[in-house]
Each structure stands twice: as structure tokens, then as C-alpha cells.
Amino acid sequence: GTQLSGFWVAKYEMSGETNGTASQPGNVLTTSSIKAVSKPGVSSWRSINRSNIFTNALNYDTNSLSNANLDSHLMKNSEWGAVAYLAHSKYGRNKTEITINSNSSYCTGGSSGATANTNVLQSTTGNCYGIYDISGGAWEHIAAYWNGTSTSNSYGATLVNAASKYKDVFDAGTSSGSTTDNYGKIGGVYAYGHAIYETSASAYIASGTNNAGWYGDYSDFVYSSLPFLYRGGLCGSGTRAGAFAFDPYTGEPHVYNSWRVVLWNK
């Protein structure tokens, strides 16, 4: 309910560390020894379900920063939209598509051992000061889902049960998949700024022809069977990956899916 002057976005997809060493912790919660970090040149943290991701993101400021003035959470779709549009603007790539992170090992920043000065065309600004892995890398879990998703969903229960400020909930359509009369709507209104409705060529892109977003990015919306939203595309998606790509999935742990933390001031 508060207008924010801005927010902080993890520079890279999250990766895991166990006792200070890069690792793939798997489908677990963070602890004093297992931490989520945002660093370049390491494999992103994948194979973790949305429920655990959401909890880990909420706990990030407690377990990693110990800063009582910050409020950490899993990136919302409205926040992804803000990043995508800023990248598209004159303050970012100025209508030039972000180069895709096609590293098949899911290395953050586009390559093993990368630094902020490596692969700069994969950043949202085209230099070392931007945000990486927005295009390609792994599909990213986003704190957004289809209205009507059960609170008992084991893959995303903590998200579905969370306070409204931490999530975007898209209206349910009258039919799953084949029709989307509420495509891209929240509370009966098209959610402009989310880089969903206004960046897609049509209201529903059928499976197999869903490369109709800006720059030909993958464009497939959530529905009852696949209720959770993902953004950014995959390292192996080719031109269909990108800042304007989105896809639905179940929320279960998968080797293709990673995540990212956002911080607000409390």
C-alpha cells in the first residue's frame, strides 16, 4: 500500500553456497550453513520448488544480510516488468534486445568464472552496471500465479498463502488454456507495466506457436493446470528467450528453473 521510490534487484540469478562454497543445495530451505547468494560465474540454484524458494527469498535479509531495515522477497511480476521496460528504454539497451545467456551449465553472468565486466551485452544496460540473466540462463520463478490456485498446492503453498504485497495474482479465465478472456488481468483490469498483455501479439498463443512476444520471445500464460508464472526463457531456447518471455508451470522443482531476490526498504 506504499508508493516505493525504487527497489533493489539481485544482479544475477540466485546461486547456493554451503559453508561458503558454491553448491547446488537442492529443494531445501536456507540455514546458517546453506545460503542463497547472487554472484557471477557459478551455476544458478535450481531444482527447488516454489514454496521453498518463496520462503528462502523472504528469509534472505535475515540469513544473508541481517539488516532489519530491508524487506526481501521473491521477485514479483510487476517488478520484472519494471526491469524489462527499463532495459528497453533509453536508460538501458534503448530498443536493442538483451543478448541471451546461452550457457548450458546455467552459469550466472553467462560463463564459468564470469565477472560483472564479462559478457556485458547480457546485462540490462549493456555494461557492467546492469542486471544479468534476465534473458536466458534458467527460467525464473516469479511471485505470480493464476487466481484459484489451491492453498494446499505443495509446490507453492507459502506463496499462495502469503500477504498480498509479496505477490501478483492474475484473474482466472472461464476456461483453462484454450481461452483467456482474463489474459493479463488483475482485479478485472489489464495489468499494464507487467510486460504480459501489452507485449504479446495476441490474447492466447497456442502451444507450438508461442513466440509472439516482443523480439519473438516465448509467450504462454498461466491457467489452472499450470498456475505459476515463469520469466526470461532458458539457455537453450534460442531467440524465444528474453526479458519479455513468460511461461506457465506447476511450481515443482526442476533443473530448468531458478529464482531471484528483490529488496525493499521497510
Side-chain angles (χ1 to χ4, degrees):
T2 301
Q3 181 69 39
L4 300 175
S5 58
F7 53 90
W8 289 270
V9 179
K11 193 175 184 71
Y12 307 94
E13 289 175 347
M14 307 311 290
S15 53
E17 287 186 349
T18 302
N19 295 320
T21 300
S23 65
Q24 278 292 330
N27 190 26
V28 299
L29 296 177
T30 53
T31 65
S32 59
S33 59
I34 298 174
K35 293 187 180 295
V37 297
S38 177
K39 292 183 178 181
V42 291
S43 186
S44 62
W45 186 344
R46 293 161 286 112
S47 299
I48 174 173
N49 71 33
R50 185 158 302 206
S51 195
N52 284 342
I53 284 172
F54 187 78
T55 300
N56 286 344
L58 286 178
N59 292 336
Y60 177 80
D61 60 322
T62 301
N63 292 340
S64 297
L65 298 178
S66 299
N67 190 328
N69 295 319
L70 295 176
D71 194 348
S72 65
H73 57 281
L74 178 63
M75 192 174 199
K76 297 168 61 177
N77 194 64
S78 53
E79 293 162 339
W80 181 283
V83 170
Y85 281 125
L86 190 62
H88 187 67
S89 77
K90 66 180 181 179
Y91 302 105
R93 301 303 302 276
N94 197 18
K95 301 180 182 179
T96 298
E97 186 175 18
I98 301 167
T99 298
I100 295 168
N101 176 355
S102 59
N103 185 275
S104 60
S105 296
Y106 304 94
C107 286
T108 55
S111 57
S112 178
T115 68
N117 289 308
T118 307
N119 306 317
V120 293
L121 295 183
Q122 293 181 17
S123 89
T124 54
T125 55
N127 57 42
C128 65
Y129 301 108
I131 300 168
Y132 286 77
D133 310 322
I134 292 291
S135 176
W139 278 107
E140 292 192 29
H141 289 264
I142 296 292
Y145 60 90
W146 187 84
N147 196 4
T149 303
S150 173
T151 57
S152 64
N153 182 299
S154 61
Y155 297 137
T158 60
L159 170 59
V160 177
N161 285 301
S164 59
K165 69 176 181 177
Y166 292 124
K167 59 189 181 182
D168 297 309
V169 184
F170 287 96
D171 294 354
T174 57
S175 179
S176 63
S178 60
T179 61
T180 54
D181 54 312
N182 282 332
Y183 177 93
K185 288 183 179 180
I186 294 178
V189 178
Y190 286 115
Y192 292 108
H194 281 244
I196 293 280
Y197 177 78
E198 68 274 29
T199 62
S200 302
S202 62
Y204 180 73
I205 314 301
S207 179
T209 59
N210 42 16
N211 57 331
W214 286 5
Y215 301 113
D217 288 357
Y218 199 94
S219 179
D220 200 357
F221 198 52
V222 291
Y223 58 98
S224 59
S225 298
L226 300 174
F228 295 105
L229 192 66
Y230 295 75
R231 298 301 305 246
L234 188 67
C235 55
S237 295
T239 58
R240 297 202 297 177
F244 297 98
F246 56 92
D247 191 38
Y249 197 54
T250 60
E252 65 187 284
H254 201 289
V255 69
Y256 293 158
N257 304 330
S258 189
W259 52 294
R260 190 182 304 257
V261 166
V262 167
L263 299 174
W264 300 324
N265 271 329
K266 286 187 177 178

Coordinates of all heavy atoms in Angstrom, one line a residue, residues 1 4 48 50 65 74 80 85 91 100 115 118 123 136 148 152 168 175 192 211 223 254-255 257 260:
G1 N 0.8 -1.2 0.0 CA 0.0 0.0 0.0 C 0.8 1.3 0.0 O 0.3 2.4 0.0
L4 N 6.7 3.1 -3.6 CA 8.1 3.0 -3.4 C 8.9 3.9 -4.3 O 8.5 4.1 -5.4 CB 8.5 1.5 -3.6 CG 7.9 0.5 -2.8 CD1 8.4 -0.9 -3.2 CD2 8.3 0.6 -1.3
I48 N 14.5 -26.6 -7.1 CA 13.9 -26.3 -5.8 C 12.4 -25.8 -6.1 O 12.2 -25.1 -7.1 CB 14.7 -25.2 -5.1 CG1 14.0 -24.7 -3.8 CG2 15.1 -24.1 -6.0 CD1 14.8 -23.8 -2.9
R50 N 8.6 -23.9 -5.7 CA 8.3 -22.5 -5.5 C 8.0 -22.2 -4.0 O 8.3 -21.1 -3.5 CB 7.1 -22.1 -6.3 CG 6.8 -20.6 -6.2 CD 6.0 -20.1 -7.4 NE 6.7 -20.3 -8.6 CZ 6.5 -19.6 -9.7 NH1 5.7 -18.6 -9.7 NH2 7.1 -19.9 -10.9
L65 N 21.8 -11.0 5.1 CA 22.2 -9.6 5.3 C 22.1 -9.1 6.7 O 22.8 -8.2 7.1 CB 21.2 -8.7 4.4 CG 21.3 -8.9 2.9 CD1 20.3 -8.0 2.2 CD2 22.7 -8.7 2.4
L74 N 10.7 -12.9 -3.1 CA 10.8 -13.4 -4.4 C 10.4 -12.3 -5.4 O 9.3 -11.7 -5.1 CB 10.0 -14.7 -4.6 CG 10.0 -15.3 -6.0 CD1 11.4 -15.8 -6.4 CD2 9.0 -16.5 -6.0
W80 N 9.5 -7.5 -12.3 CA 10.1 -8.0 -13.5 C 9.8 -7.1 -14.7 O 10.6 -6.7 -15.5 CB 9.7 -9.4 -13.9 CG 10.3 -10.0 -15.1 CD1 10.0 -9.7 -16.4 CD2 11.5 -10.9 -15.2 NE1 10.9 -10.3 -17.3 CE2 11.7 -11.1 -16.6 CE3 12.2 -11.5 -14.2 CZ2 12.8 -11.9 -17.0 CZ3 13.2 -12.4 -14.7 CH2 13.5 -12.5 -16.0
Y85 N 11.1 -3.1 -18.9 CA 10.9 -1.8 -19.6 C 12.1 -0.9 -19.4 O 12.4 -0.1 -20.3 CB 9.6 -1.2 -19.1 CG 8.4 -1.8 -19.7 CD1 7.4 -2.3 -18.9 CD2 8.2 -1.9 -21.1 CE1 6.2 -2.9 -19.4 CE2 7.1 -2.4 -21.6 CZ 6.1 -2.9 -20.8 OH 5.0 -3.5 -21.4
Y91 N 17.4 4.4 -21.0 CA 18.2 4.2 -19.8 C 18.9 2.8 -19.8 O 19.7 2.5 -18.8 CB 17.4 4.5 -18.6 CG 16.8 5.9 -18.6 CD1 15.5 6.1 -18.8 CD2 17.6 7.0 -18.3 CE1 14.9 7.3 -18.8 CE2 17.1 8.3 -18.4 CZ 15.8 8.4 -18.6 OH 15.2 9.7 -18.6
I100 N 21.3 -13.1 -25.1 CA 20.8 -14.3 -24.4 C 22.0 -15.0 -23.7 O 23.0 -15.2 -24.3 CB 20.1 -15.3 -25.3 CG1 18.8 -14.6 -25.8 CG2 19.7 -16.5 -24.5 CD1 18.2 -15.4 -26.9
T115 N 32.8 -12.3 -14.4 CA 32.7 -11.2 -13.5 C 31.7 -10.2 -14.1 O 31.1 -10.4 -15.2 CB 34.0 -10.5 -13.4 OG1 34.4 -9.9 -14.7 CG2 35.1 -11.5 -13.0
T118 N 32.4 -9.2 -17.6 CA 32.3 -10.2 -18.6 C 30.9 -10.3 -19.3 O 29.9 -10.1 -18.6 CB 32.6 -11.6 -18.0 OG1 33.9 -11.5 -17.3 CG2 32.8 -12.7 -19.1
S123 N 23.7 -7.9 -20.0 CA 23.1 -7.1 -18.9 C 22.1 -6.2 -19.5 O 22.0 -5.9 -20.7 CB 24.2 -6.3 -18.2 OG 24.4 -5.0 -18.8
G136 N 17.5 -15.6 -20.9 CA 18.2 -16.9 -20.9 C 18.7 -17.3 -19.5 O 18.1 -16.8 -18.5
G148 N -7.2 -18.8 -8.1 CA -7.9 -20.1 -8.0 C -7.0 -21.2 -7.6 O -7.4 -22.3 -7.3
S152 N -3.5 -25.4 -0.8 CA -2.9 -26.7 -0.5 C -1.8 -27.2 -1.5 O -1.3 -28.3 -1.3 CB -4.0 -27.8 -0.3 OG -4.6 -28.0 -1.5
D168 N 1.7 -11.2 -7.2 CA 0.7 -10.7 -8.2 C -0.2 -11.9 -8.5 O 0.3 -13.0 -8.8 CB 1.4 -10.3 -9.4 CG 2.3 -9.1 -9.2 OD1 1.9 -8.1 -8.6 OD2 3.5 -9.1 -9.6
S175 N -12.2 -20.6 -18.9 CA -11.7 -21.9 -19.3 C -10.2 -22.0 -19.2 O -9.5 -21.0 -19.4 CB -12.2 -22.2 -20.8 OG -11.7 -23.5 -21.2
Y192 N -1.2 -3.4 -17.1 CA -0.1 -2.8 -17.9 C 1.1 -2.5 -17.0 O 1.0 -2.2 -15.8 CB -0.7 -1.5 -18.5 CG -1.7 -1.6 -19.5 CD1 -3.1 -1.3 -19.2 CD2 -1.4 -2.2 -20.8 CE1 -4.0 -1.5 -20.2 CE2 -2.4 -2.3 -21.7 CZ -3.7 -2.0 -21.4 OH -4.6 -2.2 -22.4
N211 N 5.8 -17.9 -29.8 CA 6.9 -17.0 -29.8 C 6.5 -15.7 -30.4 O 7.0 -15.1 -31.3 CB 8.1 -17.6 -30.7 CG 7.7 -17.9 -32.1 OD1 6.5 -18.2 -32.3 ND2 8.6 -17.8 -33.0
Y223 N -2.6 -20.9 -16.4 CA -4.0 -21.4 -16.4 C -4.1 -22.4 -15.3 O -3.1 -22.7 -14.6 CB -4.5 -21.9 -17.7 CG -3.7 -23.0 -18.4 CD1 -4.1 -24.3 -18.2 CD2 -2.6 -22.7 -19.1 CE1 -3.4 -25.3 -18.8 CE2 -1.8 -23.7 -19.7 CZ -2.3 -25.0 -19.6 OH -1.5 -26.1 -20.1
H254 N 12.7 -28.2 -10.6 CA 13.1 -28.6 -12.0 C 14.5 -28.0 -12.2 O 14.8 -26.9 -11.8 CB 12.1 -28.1 -13.0 CG 12.2 -28.9 -14.3 ND1 13.2 -28.8 -15.2 CD2 11.3 -29.8 -14.9 CE1 13.0 -29.6 -16.2 NE2 11.9 -30.2 -16.0
V255 N 15.3 -28.8 -13.0 CA 16.6 -28.4 -13.3 C 16.7 -27.1 -14.2 O 17.7 -26.5 -14.3 CB 17.4 -29.6 -14.0 CG1 16.8 -29.8 -15.4 CG2 18.9 -29.3 -14.0
N257 N 14.8 -24.4 -13.8 CA 14.2 -23.2 -13.2 C 15.0 -22.7 -12.0 O 15.3 -23.4 -11.1 CB 12.7 -23.6 -12.7 CG 11.9 -24.1 -13.8 OD1 12.0 -23.7 -14.9 ND2 10.9 -25.0 -13.4
R260 N 15.2 -15.3 -8.1 CA 15.9 -14.0 -7.9 C 15.2 -13.3 -6.7 O 14.0 -13.3 -6.6 CB 15.9 -13.2 -9.2 CG 16.8 -12.0 -9.1 CD 16.6 -11.2 -10.4 NE 16.9 -11.9 -11.6 CZ 18.0 -11.9 -12.3 NH1 19.0 -11.1 -12.0 NH2 18.1 -12.6 -13.4

